[in-house]
Structures are given as C-alpha cells and as structure tokens.
C-alpha cells in the first residue's frame, strides 16, 4: 500500500502531515523553562567556543589568523543559508550577491564617515548593522518575488540576482567605482591592546564575534516555534496551512533572515581587506556556498561550520599548489580560476555517495555506532 501525503513527504520520505501538525502544537507546561535552558546552553557553548578560538588565535601567524577570520565571515553566511535551504527547503543561488550587498554597504558607510572626518569605534558596528538591514531588505524583495516559486524557478530568480548585483556595481561607476571597487580605512586594534598587537588577530576577533552572534541567534531560532514552522512548510505545505501557518509569510521571513546573515558575512569579509570589488563576489561564490552547506550537512549548524572551513581551505588550494610546485604562469592562472571549483565538485560527489547526510551526518552516524560499544565495554 502506498503511503499517503499525510504520512510521508512526497519528495524525500521525511515525516510530514500529522507529524508537522504535532510539531506545532503547544508544548507541555515546562516548555518555557526548557526554552530558557536551551538559550543558556547555547550561550554557554558559544562562550566556550569563542574562548577556545581566541586562545588559538594568540598562537597563530598573521596569515593563519586571516584564514580564521575568513572562515568566521563565511560561517555567518552558511549559518543563515542552511536555515533557508536545509530547514525551509528553498533553493537560492544568489547568496554571493547578497554578500556583495552587505560588503558594499559597509564600504559606503565607512567611506562616507571617513570623507567627513568622523572617527570612532562605533562606526564599524553601525556599518555592519546597516549591512544587515540593507541586505535583509533585499531579501524581503527577493522573498516576496519568489514566495510562489519552487525548485528550478526559484533557483532561476536567485541566479538572476547573482548576476545582476555585480553588474550594477559596474554600471553605476560614480557610486561603486566599477571594477576597481571601493576602499575604506582599515580596522586597527584598540590602543589598550598594545602597540605590537597583531592587526590580523584583531580582525579574527571581530569576525569571530559576528559568527558567534549569528550562530547563537540561528541555534535559538531553529529550536523556536518559527523554526518548527520552517520545517513544517518544508515537509508538507498543506499540513502547515491546516495548522494555521502562513506559508508564504514563513518563506519570505526565511529569506529575510538568511539574507541578513549573508549581509553580515559580506560586511565582515569586506572589513578583512578594507576593500570591496565585484570580482570578489562572482557567480562561482554562490555555487561554492551552496556546495559548502550540502557537504557540511543540510539543516545542521554544525554542518555550516564544516562548510565555512572547507570554503577557506579549498579557496586557498590553488595558491598553495602554486607555492609548493614551480608551475608555469599560464597554468597557475588557470588553476586559480578552476581548481577550487573542480575539487569542491569532486568532494560533493564523494560525500553524497558515502555520506548523504554530509560531513556532520557522517560524524553523527559514527558517534551513534561508537556509543553502544562504549556501553557494552563499561562494567
């Protein structure tokens, strides 16, 4: 007998229908206390992780600290992206353009204050907040346009955005300075850290703070009623409507949240080099981001961490090979443009064959297999 739509998802066999309704029913009397304990647990994990990374950055060389900073900037993006794709089931190919929106917003705000001679530590937080707001607004526009689209149609709309945003920067050269991009004052460490404090370490701390805030917010969102609504809409839209969920509104809000995270990541990414140019946010960046969250593990914030680390490691692979081996300039240039994407695609194929749940799914499966062995060996 074939399963009905209320029993399983027609797409991938995940529980839907009645299960989606059960997830949206009010929790037990102690649900409020459980939510508070979840927030405290997430906060404790964030503080512990932040402390460990700070201690590690104290032992790293400048370039390695920049790698940590880049990974944290990408983590801001992948955390929000996996909520959109993994939890809500919306496929977007335009997050590279959303990163560009946040990066240019930060550059314009920083440049505007610099031209007017205004200085202060408050400028950077203000610029990053502006990047989140502007990009969230862009996500609202895209989400409203794509609220009734599915699958390849939605991907097509977001793909158009991915090509449109870099094109705008080259058309309005008076504002965005074309292919040359924008430059703004580099972020320097505070004086109380000492005259010899490593600037790259300070940038890593800024990016780390942004990543921790993003992951903390996303972790609590995933465990909230809104997170359950996201999963219900992904699993079965009919059942979600029966439960009183405004499906189109949830889809739009998912886009807004994910876009805001992408804007923050793009803004932090711009701060790391104090420059922003359209070449940094080409179409292949959107493809890299999508492959990163799939390889890391869709719908998992731990998978988003794996994806962010992979993005940095694989993007540095061509330069590492060029430095290790004496390659002709022409070959080195071709590797610079194609090797990372080819290796990423190969890893994606292998991971999907070996571990369909991504790297985090493989870790979870391995931990589940080891747990019974530990219990059996314990007296």
């Amino acid at each position: 007998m074939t399963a009905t739509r209320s029993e399983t998802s027609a797409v991938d066999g995940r529980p839907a229908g009645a299960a989606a309704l059960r997830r949206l029913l009010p929790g037990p009397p102690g649900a409020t206390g459980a939510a508070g304990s979840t927030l405290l647990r997430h906060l404790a994990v964030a503080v512990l992780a932040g402390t460990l990374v700070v201690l590690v950055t104290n032992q790293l060389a400048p370039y390695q600290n920049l790698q940590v900073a880049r990974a944290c900037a990408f983590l801001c993006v992948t955390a929000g992206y996996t909520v959109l794709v993994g939890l809500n089931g919306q496929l977007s190919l335009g997050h590279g353009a959303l990163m560009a929106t946040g990066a240019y917003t930060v550059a314009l705000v920083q440049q505007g204050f610099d031209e007017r001679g205004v200085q202060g530590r408050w400028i950077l937080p203000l610029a990053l907040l502006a990047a989140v707001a502007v990009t969230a607004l862009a996500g609202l526009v895209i989400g409203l346009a794509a609220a009734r689209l599915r699958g390849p149609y939605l991907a097509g709309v977001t793909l158009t955005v991915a090509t449109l945003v870099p094109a705008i920067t080259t058309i309005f050269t008076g504002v965005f300075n074309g292919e040359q991009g924008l430059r703004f004052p580099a972020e320097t460490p505070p004086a109380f850290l000492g005259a010899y404090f490593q600037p790259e370490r300070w940038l890593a701390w800024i990016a780390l703070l942004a990543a921790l805030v993003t992951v903390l917010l996303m972790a609590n969102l995933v465990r909230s009623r809104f997170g359950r609504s996201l999963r219900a809409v992904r699993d079965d839209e009919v059942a979600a409507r029966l439960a009183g969920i405004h499906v189109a509104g949830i889809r739009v809000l998912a886009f807004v949240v994910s876009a805001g995270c992408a804007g923050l990541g793009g803004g932090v990414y711009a701060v790391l080099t104090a420059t922003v140019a359209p070449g940094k946010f080409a179409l292949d960046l959107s493809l890299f981001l999508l492959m990163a969250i799939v390889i890391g593990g869709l719908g998992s914030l731990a998978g988003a961490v794996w994806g962010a680390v992979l993005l940095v490691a694989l993007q540095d692979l061509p330069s590492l090979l060029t430095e290790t081996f004496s390659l002709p300039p022409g070959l080195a240039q071709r590797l610079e443009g194609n090797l990372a994407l080819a290796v990423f695609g190969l890893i994606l194929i292998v991971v999907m064959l070996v571990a369909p749940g991504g790297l985090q799914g493989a870790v979870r499966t391995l931990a589940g297999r080891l747990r019974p062995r530990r219990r059996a060996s314990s007296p």
Side-chain angles (χ1 to χ4, degrees):
M1 181 181 296
T2 58
T4 61
R5 186 171 178 82
S6 64
E7 293 171 347
T8 57
S9 171
V11 179
D12 54 11
R14 284 180 298 217
L21 290 173
R22 285 196 298 270
R23 282 198 297 267
L24 296 169
L25 294 176
T32 303
S37 64
T38 299
L39 174 60
L40 291 176
R41 184 170 67 253
H42 290 164
L43 185 60
V45 172
V47 171
L48 177 61
T51 303
L52 290 176
V53 175
V54 167
L55 293 176
V56 169
T57 58
N58 290 331
Q59 310 300 323
L60 296 179
Y63 180 71
Q64 292 171 325
N65 273 325
L66 276 181
Q67 287 180 308
V68 171
R70 288 168 56 203
C72 290
F74 279 128
L75 179 55
C76 295
V77 186
T78 56
Y81 199 13
T82 197
V83 168
L84 177 70
V85 181
L87 291 185
N88 196 227
Q90 298 191 73
L91 178 61
S92 170
L93 297 177
H95 268 56
L98 294 175
M99 282 188 67
T101 303
Y104 271 97
T105 301
V106 167
L108 289 172
V109 171
Q110 294 265 40
Q111 197 177 67
F113 280 115
D114 183 60
E115 290 174 353
R116 290 165 177 77
V118 180
Q119 298 180 349
R121 291 289 172 186
W122 53 271
I123 293 179
L124 177 59
L126 178 64
L128 292 176
L129 287 175
V132 173
V134 171
T135 315
L137 181 61
L140 175 62
V141 174
I142 299 171
L144 289 173
R148 298 184 179 275
L149 299 177
R150 303 290 184 276
Y153 303 102
L154 177 58
V157 169
T158 55
L159 183 63
T160 302
V161 175
T163 57
L164 180 62
V165 170
I168 290 176
T169 62
T170 56
I171 293 173
F172 298 97
T173 56
V175 178
F176 302 107
N177 199 28
E179 294 289 347
Q180 301 300 318
L182 300 175
R183 294 181 178 274
F184 54 93
E187 189 67 22
T188 56
F192 68 85
L193 292 175
Y196 300 101
F197 190 85
Q198 203 182 93
E200 292 81 4
R201 190 187 309 162
W202 175 242
L203 293 175
W205 289 6
I206 293 174
L208 173 64
L209 179 60
L212 289 176
V213 170
T214 302
V215 173
L216 181 62
L217 291 176
M218 292 302 102
N220 286 283
L221 181 146
V222 167
R223 298 295 296 271
S224 69
R225 184 180 180 87
F226 178 65
R228 294 192 295 272
S229 299
L230 289 175
R231 290 188 287 271
V233 171
R234 176 200 65 188
D235 290 344
D236 195 319
E237 292 188 6
V238 175
R241 287 192 181 93
L242 291 175
I245 297 176
H246 193 290
V247 173
I250 290 295
R251 289 169 62 87
V252 172
L253 284 176
F255 242 109
V256 171
V257 170
S258 184
C261 294
L264 178 60
V268 172
Y269 197 78
V271 170
L272 301 183
T273 56
T275 60
V276 57
K280 294 182 178 181
F281 306 97
L283 176 60
D284 59 352
L285 176 59
S286 296
L287 301 178
F288 277 130
L289 290 169
L290 179 59
M291 288 190 288
I293 62 170
V294 173
I295 294 172
L298 273 179
S300 167
L301 291 177
V305 176
W306 285 109
V309 173
L310 276 174
L311 276 169
V312 175
L314 292 182
Q315 285 189 346
D316 288 341
L317 182 61
S319 58
L320 178 63
L321 291 178
T322 304
E323 294 174 0
T324 305
F325 305 100
S326 299
L327 300 178
L331 178 58
Q333 186 175 4
R334 286 193 293 271
L335 287 177
E336 186 74 26
N338 302 311
L339 182 62
L341 187 60
V343 173
F344 230 136
L346 180 61
I347 293 176
L348 177 62
I349 294 172
V350 173
V351 169
M352 290 299 98
L353 291 175
V354 177
L359 295 178
Q360 184 58 27
V363 171
R364 194 179 297 116
T365 301
L366 181 61
R369 291 177 179 176
L370 293 178
R371 195 175 296 115
R373 295 180 182 178
R374 292 177 181 174
R375 291 176 181 174
S377 61
S378 61

